[in-house]
Amino acid sequence: MKRVLWSFVFVLSFFIFPLTNASAASNEQQLVKEIKEIITENYVGTIHGNLQKAKTIPEIIEMLDPYSTYFTKKEFEEFINSIDLSTIGVGVIIEEHEDGIHILQVFEGSGASDAGVVAGDIITAINGQSVVGSSTQEVSSLLIGDENTKLGVTLQHADGTTSTTTITRKKFTLPNVESTLLFGNVGYIAMSSFSEDGAELVKKALIQLKQSGATSFILDLQNNGGGYVTTAQEITGFFPKAKTAFLLEEAHANYKVRAVNQDEKFPADTRILVNRYSASASEMLAATLQDQQSAILYGETTYGKGCMQGFFELQDGSYLKLTIGNFTGPLGKTINEVGVKPNIQTKTAPIFQAHYDAIKAQYTKYKELASLKNVADPKNLTVKVPYTLSSQMSEDKVQLIALGGNEVPMTAKVDGRSLIVTPSKPLSAGREYMILVHPKTQNANKAPQGFYQRIIMKK
């Protein structure tokens, strides 16, 4: 049986131990024969060696590309869980603390959540063993374990009290899609994996952001290594001009695969963020949207994994993951080993440029001043304003925006042709900001004389 998905960049390592009895050896030879037949019929790629002379599974896998491998039944389940971001544990994010291990986040539906653990609690002991002075790696090894097993955790709470609670390790799902509303009614959606429910999660976030007032969007696919092919097709359908999901070249045929149409849509000026770790399905989506002019890509050239893997269930319940095709966007540009080059390449985090451009698009009649780069003073910003604009400045018409975030509280002072902005808290090194100055007066017979400027803080 074949299951098709866009595999992650990484290949799970495995070990095949020698089989000692005749029956086991015979079973392995049957597997070897079965795998050879599947490869001969379906594999797309170069075979490095004589496949028919290979006698073991590792020997066969060594002849294939890096994305083809063999999974035991358990390894296959773990791989699928990694795509769906499912794991087994207590369900917390932790950091080291002088009093023990500080809990930064508790995942909904996890064993920790069920036991009443909250962010801010500090783990001081596990099963009676003190963890004060321990590293997060050491504590993580104590927290993980088999599903439905229990452990006693001693907690120090924010009010200074302590308690010991029993937590059951269970399978839970990490958040795959996260969203927020940025300044300027810009909806931001970050997707970590093309999980089976990925399109449903994106749709939910899209609807919620629109209800919150979002009028433009940023979809972040940075570090997204891929996932299910059906999810990729479904997400393509959220973009109004994207009718084709991808072109696919298999061993014996070529296909044009259509997008799955959706009743919710991203606007045409949606901005997609990618980086060198955006791979497989992320690259397919980026390429097809770029080819059909359905979105604007920001960031850096993607990983370059333009091939698709299928999973073939073998007679003993194990699986062969095999490269069965190469994909491209509708224009047929090569992706494999090349990647997708974004429309706008950025040297810093692409969210800064994308958010800046989304805000700019709302103020087309405002003047853009030259960016201030490598700003060293985090407490005061001084903007030199052209004479033609200086008369329009008013201290109550100034906004300071953290790009990739929201408005920053500050005070503004006009001193001749200088605008001095003092944030309530020091600005962050390496962060980018935007000063937006609205005109003091509105004249119906004259274009507004507002202006804006990008601020790049020194690292």
Side-chain angles (χ1 to χ4, degrees), residues 274-278 283 299-304 338-342 345:
V274 294
N275 66 1
R276 69 190 69 181
Y277 304 113
S278 302
E283 297 178 277
E300 57 185 353
T301 300
T302 60
Y303 183 84
V338 175
V340 181
K341 183 178 179 181
Q345 294 182 286

Side-chain angles (χ1 to χ4, degrees), residues 74 88-89 143-150 168-170:
K74 183 178 180 181
I88 295 173
L143 294 176
I144 62 175
D146 295 331
E147 190 171 7
N148 295 323
T149 57
K150 301 178 185 298
T168 301
R169 298 181 181 97
K170 58 186 291 189

Side-chain angles (χ1 to χ4, degrees), residues 3-109:
R3 294 182 64 179
V4 179
L5 52 86
W6 304 102
S7 71
F8 280 96
V9 174
F10 63 81
V11 177
L12 187 64
S13 60
F14 63 94
F15 300 90
I16 302 296
F17 295 97
L19 302 173
T20 55
N21 58 64
S23 176
S26 175
N27 288 339
E28 182 177 17
Q29 288 308 307
Q30 289 178 359
L31 281 178
V32 167
K33 180 180 178 182
E34 185 179 6
I35 289 171
K36 287 179 180 179
E37 291 174 351
I38 293 171
I39 292 171
T40 301
E41 178 65 23
N42 299 281
Y43 181 63
V44 173
T46 302
I47 298 176
H48 302 281
N50 189 328
L51 178 66
Q52 299 310 316
K53 289 185 177 181
K55 296 180 179 180
T56 66
I57 296 173
E59 189 179 352
I60 292 173
I61 298 302
E62 187 68 25
M63 296 180 180
L64 308 178
D65 69 4
Y67 306 115
S68 299
T69 191
Y70 171 84
F71 288 124
T72 64
K73 185 176 181 179
K74 183 178 180 181
E75 289 169 342
F76 174 76
E77 291 173 353
E78 291 173 348
F79 183 85
I80 294 300
N81 285 339
S82 71
I83 295 173
D84 289 330
L85 301 182
S86 294
T87 187
I88 295 173
V90 300
V92 294
I93 294 178
I94 58 177
E95 68 174 357
E96 293 171 18
H97 189 278
E98 62 183 1
D99 293 335
I101 294 294
H102 182 216
I103 297 175
L104 294 173
Q105 184 177 351
V106 178
F107 292 110
E108 185 178 351

